[in-house]
């Protein structure tokens, strides 16, 4: 079988068409596509006859097929692939016998070698062609094409993917043969190995190779390359090829990580790991920083490889460390992740050697250093890695404190992702802390102090004392003993043998174990105990109660042995074989030294626990502030953190749990769901053996939250609980227990009983039938004769019943009559009786109950006004009777100071207070009843009538044809909405006329009480009781809500009291009342707006806070025109009270959501606050501006503000104003256009640059612009502007010096900053002159000429109440003259968001 030529594997297919020299095979003819099928048939016939050697005569047809591959039909290509698989398979099966034939001739060997190379060339060529076609088709699938074409592509692709794996297995089988015999026992030529492996690499280049469905293909490629690596010295080529592919194909990194780990573990190719890591380590860091895609591949490869084979990565880690100082953050992340994997999987445990321990500490130090990396992604990644290290308990205790401190520091990071991961790390520290399940600083400080004193005593005396009990020693040893015990259940390490044997008796074994414990040899003691438990079953001390698992049993035996032996009385037995070395004198010394070491360990343990608790407490205050960040993920992590903390008994955790409550109203679904999940985990999963016990635990924990809870907290809780009830997450047993507590069937305190009613009311919001089905029980128990003993319980009963009225109606029942109870229902009888009985009794809780009762009557009763009129009459009767009694005692000269004097008679103060409170509440609820309930009922009835008319009309139209014109007119009116609109106006006018003309008419009941309210308000000198004054002020505000005419005539009195009253409660009540009046009668209140703003500077914090809340609501609801006076809201940003600062921050945050609102207001705010008379210090001004400018984010706003601020320099009068304007410029991020604005307006501020502070601000602006970078022409413009700034500054200084030398007059010094203590603002003086408080002049914008002609009014002179009780009524009056009250007001329209643009 002589062959005259030799087949050389070509570098390119075209090389086979050229004559390469004598003895080299050349393709004679490239067949056409039509000639290919018969040629393949001939090859198939020859293959059947001659076997694999048939290719020697039929190579050209298959080469031609590869040449025309794209043009050949799919069936022909598939036939060729199938044929070549058969050829190579047969050749592979025949080769073992041929290679083993020692008498094989040179000619036969050459023939088989040529056939092998030809067959493999053709088969791999077909594989590459099919793979290329599949990749191209998958890329073209996104293009629109015919349906049949797409289906054909999919079928062809799937068939090739099915064939790919058997082909790779076939080539692997071939490579596993000793093919060197065909090359004469020499090395197989590299071209042949590259031919076989090249197909593998090309398959891996397919982006879809990483999918799960191609797992078998990946494994086949891995084994084929392994065969090449093991048998054919492919390592050098593989190293270069893998590093190249990692650089250019991101998707291969996980595939190669899996393959390399397999080659290292199953094929022993560990050196390949070192070669690959060395190749990556030698890459230039600067080049990697420029090649982002290549870096990503390397980084993923290193990370995944370290997860699979961390020990091998550890041995080659040194070659990668240079990249930790490189610019590529992805490489830093990858190397740090590799370190973390090594720490958790290799360098973990207490039994590390000295070298390993040093490496571990070195890695941990590197990780800690990169917590403060310059790149936020690296900082975030390191925190994630530490979280994993802590969760796997791989962080040594010596490093705990430093890592916790770094994590707390990262809570202030500017990157949201870093903050989120810092919170996760702290939560992991808590969940895996080795100290205690209770981490209260107060609980840990006391034992720490005590043990430190004992340690000091032991050191001072130098001898053994009974410093700590054996139980305390055991607690100190427990973590190490437990760790040693856990190692028993792990396989023995290399070189570790069991050398201890159990003694003959249980007693001697016990002594041996105790001795090992005292020598701190915990592992041996635990192993000996494990053996003894097997050998001495049932014998003391190995016969105690058995635990659920073996570890707990061993620990129990060790504890009994250690604590049962007294170290002071019996000297421990010396170890066997060493008795001759111990003397009686040495034993006490050893015991003393051992106990001193144990005491030091205990103190160190307590110290570490205390320090950890301090850091966690510090973190709590930081994280609690993050609950209201803009980032949803940070808020969710903060909520999760507090859920974790609450399990460890940290006292501050409850504050965080309460602080998250308002987030239930968040517009972000993720935040709201996080709060629900937090409370679900904290309260809905109680522990208990039975359903009853779990219900008791849940009710108890929820009741604790409501102790001292504010109204806002209760409203938030109600929203959460109603959500749980709607989702049926609250068990019936809980509701049953609450009813038992309320009815006193279950023993509980009055607080718990009240909490039960509150919880029932909260649940009724989700399911009203909870209250509706037991209404009689609520009334008979909660509003019975005993209600007077506990008004707060009765108040909560009213609130719970009111949930029946507040239940939202379904859409389909919108025209259904509202739920109301008949006037003679027992509920209203009980309420009337309870209110009337308590009226004459002094109680601080009667007024809140009365308000809830009156509100409930108006919500649920038919004819509510009649019921309340009866209550008013009954209470008035009681007051008159008291007055008559007082008249009978007027001869008595001793008048009680708690009685309000009115001429010759007096009443108890509380009685007057009850009366005016009742009048005010009934007045307010009457207005609400008319405006809401009656109005809605009128509309509902009208709609029903209209529906009935429409129905009748439609019925009659079918019987009788109506004229077309009438139908068209009616239809047109209905389409335009004129019918409904006019009817609505009619109904509204009816309600308004009732309020204006009837409610305060002399025939109405209110008219009898209004003079009393006015008299108390007008004469605070006579009615000096603070509570009475506050109640009367509130009642006046409520009565003013009835009629615009009454409101207009008494607004002056109301604002006078708000300004001049010395009682904060009065001022607060009137601010709230004024806010309500501003919504009901905006035109009347508008001239008095400045007095509302003035309360923002009230000396009392509670009044300032109330004013801030009221103004927030009015401004955000567009009920008050936003003017420059909003600067008063800005001053609250520097208020000493944190709650008031929070109100102001919330206001500006909400205002910023309106288009351009803050941008439009900023210039006026700056002008007002920089005014020296404003009283805001420069430093405070800077704080306010820093907050406000944070809302300026649009480029156009920034450019416009630069221009406006520059122009304001012209109108500025003082040096303070220059400095403030310049400082504001530093707060704006200057863009290229902004720089042009500065250049264009240079003349506005050039003359102000002589002031060093102004010049310094402009230097700061230019320095920040330079750091931002920009175009060369922009930099040139910036340099030119800097030169102009410097020239103007120097020119100003030179002219100042010249002026000073010529005239001898010194230049005026810059205004000195005022220093104030406490608040940075001047509080408003409470003692104002009467001339300062005048009725605001109405503005008439429509006819300014008339306003100019009108004569100016004199300032009103007001006589306010004096403190002399014996003054005459005229002197104590604050009557208003008619000419002092505004007669015309500016019509106010609600401004819209469009106006703010």
């Amino acid at each position: 079988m002589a062959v005259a030529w030799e087949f050389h594997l070509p570098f390119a297919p075209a090389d086979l068409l050229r004559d390469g020299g004598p003895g080299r095979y050349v393709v004679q003819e490239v067949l056409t596509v039509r000639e290919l099928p018969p040629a393949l048939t001939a090859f198939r016939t020859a293959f059947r006859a001659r076997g694999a050697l048939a290719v020697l005569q039929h190579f050209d047809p298959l080469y031609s097929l590869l040449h025309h591959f794209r043009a050949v039909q799919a069936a022909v290509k598939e036939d060729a692939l199938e044929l070549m698989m058969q050829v190579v398979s047969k050749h592979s099966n025949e080769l073992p016998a041929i290679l083993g034939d020692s008498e094989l001739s040179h000619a036969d060997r050459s023939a088989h070698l040529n056939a092998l190379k030809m067959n493999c060339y053709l088969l791999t060529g077909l594989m590459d062609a099919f793979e290329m076609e599949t990749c191209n088709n998958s890329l073209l699938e996104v293009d629109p094409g015919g349906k049949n074409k797409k289906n054909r592509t999919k079928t062809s692709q799937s068939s090739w993917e099915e064939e790919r794996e058997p082909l790779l297995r076939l080539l692997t089988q071939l490579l596993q043969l000793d093919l060197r015999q065909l090359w004469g026992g020499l090395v197989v030529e590299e071209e042949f190995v590259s031919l076989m492996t090249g197909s593998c690499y090309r398959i891996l280049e397919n982006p879809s190779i990483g999918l799960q469905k191609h797992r078998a293909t990946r494994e086949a490629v891995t084994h084929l390359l392994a065969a090449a690596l093991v048998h054919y010295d492919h390592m050098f080529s593989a190293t270069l090829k893998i590093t190249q592919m990692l650089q250019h194909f991101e998707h291969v990194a996980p595939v190669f990580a899996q393959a390399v780990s397999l080659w290292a573990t199953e094929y022993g190719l560990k050196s390949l790991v070192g070669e690959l890591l060395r190749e990556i380590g030698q890459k230039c860091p600067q080049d990697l920083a420029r090649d982002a895609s290549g870096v990503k591949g390397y980084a993923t490869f290193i990370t995944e490889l370290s997860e699979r084979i961390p020990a091998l990565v550890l041995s080659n880690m040194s070659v990668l460390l240079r990249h930790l100082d490189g610019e590529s953050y992805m490489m830093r992340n990858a190397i740090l992740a590799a370190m973390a994997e090594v720490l958790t999987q290799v360098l973990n445990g207490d039994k590390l050697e000295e070298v390993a321990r040093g490496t571990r500490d070195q890695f941990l130090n590197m990780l800690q250093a990169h917590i403060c990396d310059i790149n936020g992604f690296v900082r975030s990644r390191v925190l994630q890695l530490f979280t994993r290290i802590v969760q796997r308990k791989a962080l040594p205790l010596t490093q705990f404190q430093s890592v916790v401190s770094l994590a707390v520091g990262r809570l202030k990071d500017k990157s949201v992702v870093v903050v989120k991961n810092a919170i996760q790390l702290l939560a992991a520290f808590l969940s895996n802390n080795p100290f205690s399940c209770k981490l209260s600083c107060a609980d840990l400080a006391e034992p720490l102090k005590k043990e430190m004193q004992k340690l000091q005593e032991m050191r001072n005396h130098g001898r053994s004392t009974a410093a700590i009990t054996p139980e305390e020693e055991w607690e100190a040893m427990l973590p190490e003993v437990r760790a040693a015990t856990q190692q028993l259940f792990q396989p023995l390490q290399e070189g570790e043998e069991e050398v201890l044997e159990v003694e003959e008796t249980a007693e001697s074994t016990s002594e041996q174990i105790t001795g090992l414990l005292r020598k701190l040899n915990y592992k041996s003691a635990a192993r000996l105990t494990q053996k003894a438990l097997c050998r001495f079953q049932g014998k003391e001390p190995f016969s105690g109660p058995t635990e659920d698992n073996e570890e707990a049993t061993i620990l129990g035996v060790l504890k009994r042995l250690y604590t049962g032996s007294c170290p002071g009385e019996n000297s421990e037995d010396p170890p066997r074989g060493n008795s001759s070395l111990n003397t009686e004198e040495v034993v006490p010394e050893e015991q003393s030294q051992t106990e001193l070491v144990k005491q030091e360990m205990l103190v160190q343990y307590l110290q570490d626990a205390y320090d950890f608790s301090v850091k966690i407490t510090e973190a709590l205050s930081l994280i609690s502030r993050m609950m209201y960040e803009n980032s949803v993920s940070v808020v969710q992590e903060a909520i999760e953190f507090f859920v974790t903390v609450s399990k460890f008994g940290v006292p501050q955790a409850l504050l965080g749990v309460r602080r998250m409550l308002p987030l239930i109203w968040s517009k972000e679904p993720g935040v709201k769901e996080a709060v629900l999940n937090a409370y679900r985990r904290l309260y809905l999963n109680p522990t208990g053996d039975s359903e009853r016990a779990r219900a008791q635990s849940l009710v108890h924990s929820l009741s604790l939250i409501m102790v001292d809870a504010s109204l806002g907290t209760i409203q938030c809780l109600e929203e959460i609980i109603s959500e749980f009830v709607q989702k049926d997450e609250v068990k019936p047993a809980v509701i049953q227990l609450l009813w038992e507590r309320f009815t006193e069937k279950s023993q509980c305190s009055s607080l718990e009983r009240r909490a039960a009613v509150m919880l029932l009311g909260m649940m009724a919001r989700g399911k009203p039938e909870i209250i509706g089905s037991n209404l009689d029980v609520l009334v008979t128990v909660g509003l019975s004769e005993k209600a007077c003993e506990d008004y707060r319980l009765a108040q909560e009963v009213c609130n719970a019943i009111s949930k029946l009225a507040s239940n939202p109606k379904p859409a389909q029942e919108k025209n259904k009559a509202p739920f109301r109870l008949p006037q003679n229902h027992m509920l209203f009888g009980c309420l009337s009786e309870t209110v009337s009985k308590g009226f004459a009794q002094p109680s601080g809780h009667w007024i809140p109950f009365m308000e809830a009762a009156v509100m409930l009557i108006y919500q649920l009763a038919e004819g509510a006004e009649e019921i309340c009129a009866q209550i008013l009459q009954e209470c008035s009767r009681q007051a008159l009777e008291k007055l008559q009694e007082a008249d009978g005692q007027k001869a008595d000269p001793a008048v009680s100071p708690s009685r309000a004097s009115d001429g010759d008679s007096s009443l108890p103060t509380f009685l007057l207070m009850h009366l005016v409170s009742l009048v005010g509440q009934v007045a307010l609820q009457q207005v609400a009843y008319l405006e809401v309930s009656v109005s809605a009922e009128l509309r509902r009835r009208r709609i029903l009538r209209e529906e009935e008319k429409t129905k009748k009309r439609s019925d009659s139209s079918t019987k009788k044809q109506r004229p077309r014109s009438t139908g068209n007119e009616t239809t047109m009116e209905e389409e335009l909405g004129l019918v409904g609109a006019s009817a609505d106006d009619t109904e509204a006018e009816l309600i308004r006329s009732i309020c204006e003309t009837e409610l305060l008419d002399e025939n109405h009941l209110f008219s009898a009480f209004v003079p009393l309210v006015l008299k108390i308000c007008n004469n605070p000198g006579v009615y000096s009781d603070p509570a009475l004054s506050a109640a009367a002020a509130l009642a006046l505000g409520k009565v003013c809500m009835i009629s615009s005419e009454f409101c207009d005539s008494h607004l002056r009195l109301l604002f006078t009291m708000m300004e001049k009253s010395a009682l904060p409660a009065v001022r607060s009540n009137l601010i709230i009342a004024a806010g309500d009046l501003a919504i009901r009668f905006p035109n009347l209140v508008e001239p008095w707006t400045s007095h509302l703003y003035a309360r923002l500077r009230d000396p009392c914090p509670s009044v300032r806070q109330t004013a801030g809340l009221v103004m927030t609501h009015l401004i955000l609801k567009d009920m008050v025109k936003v003017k420059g006076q909003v600067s008063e809201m800005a001053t609250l940003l520097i208020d000493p009270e944190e709650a008031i600062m929070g109100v102001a921050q919330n206001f500006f945050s909400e205002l910023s959501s309106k288009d351009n609102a803050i941008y439009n207001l900023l210039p006026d705010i700056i002008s007002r606050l920089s005014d020296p008379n404003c009283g805001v210090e420069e430093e405070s001004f800077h704080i306010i501006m820093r907050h406000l400018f944070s809302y300026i984010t649009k480029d156009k706003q920034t450019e416009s503000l630069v221009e406006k601020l520059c122009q304001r320099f012209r109108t500025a009068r003082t040096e303070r104003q220059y400095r403030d304007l310049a400082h504001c410029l530093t707060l704006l991020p200057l863009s290229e256009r902004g720089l042009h604005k500065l250049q264009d307006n240079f003349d506005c501020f050039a003359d102000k640059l002589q002031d060093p502070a102004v010049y310094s601000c402009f230097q700061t602006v230019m320095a920040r612009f330079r750091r931002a970078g920009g175009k060369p022409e922009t930099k040139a413009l910036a340099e030119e502007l800097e030169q102009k700034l410097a020239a103007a500054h120097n020119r100003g200084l030179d002219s100042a010096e010249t002026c000073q030398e010529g005239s001898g007059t010194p230049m005026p010094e810059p205004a000195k900053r005022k220093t104030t203590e406490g608040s940075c603002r001047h509080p408003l003086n409470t003692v104002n002159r009467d001339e300062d408080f005048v009725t605001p002049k109405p503005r008439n914008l429509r006819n300014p000429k008339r306003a100019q002609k009108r004569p100016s009014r004199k300032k009103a002179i007001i006589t306010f109440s004096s403190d002399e009780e014996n003054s005459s009524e005229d002197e104590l009056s604050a009557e208003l003259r008619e000419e002092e009250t505004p007669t015309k007001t500016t019509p106010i329209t609600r401004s819209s968001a469009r106006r703010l643009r």
Side-chain angles (χ1 to χ4, degrees), residues 1049-1259:
S1049 61
H1050 294 90
L1051 265 183
R1052 181 166 168 68
L1053 171 62
L1054 189 144
F1055 278 98
T1056 303
M1057 294 172 66
M1058 185 195 301
E1059 181 82 14
K1060 301 267 185 158
S1061 175
L1063 302 173
V1066 172
R1067 300 202 297 274
S1068 294
N1069 282 350
L1070 289 174
I1071 289 168
I1072 296 170
D1076 292 339
L1077 291 172
I1079 295 174
R1080 182 156 172 80
F1081 306 121
N1083 293 342
L1084 298 180
V1085 179
E1086 192 269 342
W1088 302 88
T1089 304
S1090 60
H1091 296 280
L1092 278 174
Y1093 277 113
R1095 290 300 94 216
L1096 295 171
R1097 288 190 175 239
D1098 196 280
C1100 178
S1102 64
V1103 179
R1104 288 202 305 276
Q1105 184 173 356
T1106 304
L1109 289 169
V1110 169
M1111 294 309 298
T1112 296
H1113 286 293
L1114 292 179
I1115 293 172
L1116 295 179
K1117 289 180 179 179
D1118 297 326
M1119 299 311 301
V1120 168
K1121 288 182 179 179
V1122 185
K1123 306 173 185 176
Q1125 288 171 324
V1126 79
S1127 61
E1128 299 294 340
M1129 287 293 290
T1131 58
L1132 297 186
L1133 290 168
I1134 54 166
D1135 198 279
E1137 298 291 330
E1138 188 175 348
I1140 300 176
M1141 283 175 58
V1143 170
Q1145 290 169 358
N1146 182 58
F1147 166 74
F1148 285 106
S1149 176
E1150 293 292 330
L1151 189 64
S1152 67
S1153 62
K1154 295 191 174 187
D1155 292 338
N1156 301 332
I1158 292 183
Y1159 161 74
N1160 292 334
L1161 293 169
L1162 257 180
D1164 286 339
I1165 294 176
I1166 293 170
S1167 295
R1168 284 177 176 265
L1169 295 185
S1170 61
D1171 188 341
N1173 298 325
C1174 176
V1176 174
E1177 294 299 318
E1178 252 184 287
E1179 188 61 36
S1180 303
F1181 176 85
H1182 294 173
I1183 296 171
I1184 295 171
M1185 289 302 118
R1186 198 177 307 127
H1187 185 88
L1188 295 182
F1189 273 83
S1190 66
Y1191 297 110
I1192 305 298
T1193 54
K1194 298 177 183 176
D1195 291 339
K1196 287 186 178 180
Q1197 292 179 347
T1198 303
E1199 296 157 16
S1200 178
L1201 274 176
V1202 169
E1203 186 173 18
K1204 288 182 178 180
L1205 290 172
C1206 289
Q1207 292 173 356
R1208 291 258 171 167
F1209 276 98
R1210 292 187 184 278
T1211 59
R1213 303 186 309 277
T1214 64
E1215 294 180 4
R1216 159 73 190 276
Q1217 290 173 325
Y1218 305 155
R1219 292 196 298 271
D1220 287 347
L1221 289 170
H1223 175 77
C1224 290
L1225 282 172
T1226 66
L1227 300 174
L1228 290 168
L1230 199 63
S1231 62
E1232 185 178 342
R1233 290 184 180 180
L1235 187 69
H1236 282 287
K1237 296 286 185 186
L1238 270 184
Q1239 180 84 328
D1240 297 342
N1241 294 278
F1242 181 79
D1243 293 339
C1244 297
F1245 55 81
D1247 57 330
K1248 315 297 189 300
L1249 291 170
Q1250 62 177 329
D1251 189 318
V1254 175
Y1255 180 62
S1256 174
C1257 289
F1258 278 95
Q1259 283 183 311

Side-chain angles (χ1 to χ4, degrees), residues 946-963:
E946 289 174 358
E947 288 176 353
E948 289 177 4
K949 287 181 182 178
T950 306
K951 188 176 180 182
K952 289 179 182 179
R953 192 180 300 131
S954 62
D955 292 343
S956 61
S957 64
T958 57
K959 300 176 182 178
K960 180 179 179 182
Q961 186 68 28
R962 300 187 63 183

Side-chain angles (χ1 to χ4, degrees), residues 1372-1388:
L1372 295 171
S1373 173
E1375 294 292 331
L1376 309 174
R1377 293 201 294 270
E1378 185 177 352
E1379 65 272 12
E1380 295 172 354
T1381 307
T1383 56
K1384 288 189 177 181
T1385 57
T1386 305
I1388 186 168

Side-chain angles (χ1 to χ4, degrees), residues 696-803:
Q696 286 177 334
S697 176
L698 188 149
V699 169
H700 177 70
S701 55
L702 285 176
S703 300
L704 284 179
I705 298 187
M706 290 192 282
V707 175
D708 299 329
S710 65
L711 182 60
T713 300
I714 290 172
Q715 287 177 340
C716 298
L717 260 180
E718 182 175 329
E719 179 70 15
I720 291 174
I721 291 176
S722 64
E723 288 269 353
F724 290 155
V725 170
Q726 287 172 4
K727 296 175 182 177
D728 291 325
E729 295 184 47
V730 177
K731 299 288 189 291
V734 176
I735 300 173
Q736 178 65 30
L737 179 61
L738 290 174
W739 281 113
E740 289 178 9
R741 284 194 170 194
F742 170 65
T743 55
E744 295 185 302
K745 291 181 181 177
S746 176
Q747 289 294 326
C748 62
S749 65
S750 59
L751 282 174
E752 290 173 333
R753 190 182 180 201
R754 196 181 315 140
V757 180
M758 294 170 71
L759 288 170
L760 286 170
M762 293 175 183
M763 293 176 183
R765 186 164 162 227
K767 286 186 178 180
E769 57 269 21
I770 293 175
I771 293 295
S773 60
N774 294 280
L775 182 59
D776 293 345
V777 176
L778 270 174
V779 174
T780 53
V781 176
L783 299 173
S784 64
E785 296 178 355
K786 294 184 178 180
C788 297
E789 299 174 7
D790 190 353
Y791 283 118
R792 284 186 290 182
L793 177 66
Q795 178 189 347
E796 296 305 334
V797 169
C798 293
N799 292 336
I801 298 174
S802 68
K803 299 300 186 294

Side-chain angles (χ1 to χ4, degrees), residues 70-130:
R70 291 189 177 183
V72 179
Q73 294 180 356
V76 178
K77 291 188 283 191
E78 290 173 3
D79 288 344
L81 180 65
E82 182 183 358
L83 177 58
M84 287 311 304
M85 281 185 68
Q86 294 174 1
V87 172
V88 174
S89 178
K90 186 170 184 180
H91 203 185
S92 176
N93 294 331
E94 293 173 352
L95 275 176
I98 296 168
L99 295 172
D101 187 2
S102 57
E103 298 178 359
L104 184 68
S105 65
H106 178 73
D108 289 345
R109 184 177 60 79
S110 298
H112 280 286
L113 178 59
N114 285 330
L116 176 66
K117 290 197 283 187
M118 284 181 164
N119 287 330
C120 290
Y121 175 79
L122 292 172
L123 183 58
T124 55
L126 284 170
M127 289 174 64
D128 293 346
F130 272 106

Side-chain angles (χ1 to χ4, degrees), residues 348-351 392-393 478-493 496 522-527 530 549-552 554-555 558:
N348 189 5
D350 300 327
K351 302 300 180 183
R392 296 186 183 180
K393 296 181 170 53
L478 186 57
E480 294 185 23
V481 177
R482 181 179 285 115
T485 307
Q486 288 171 353
Q487 290 182 4
L488 298 182
F489 306 100
Q490 298 175 359
L492 289 174
Q493 298 178 357
E496 185 181 358
Y522 303 136
K523 190 172 182 180
S524 299
R527 180 158 290 155
Q530 187 182 32
N549 57 6
E550 189 178 357
E551 178 186 343
I554 293 173
L555 288 173
L558 288 172

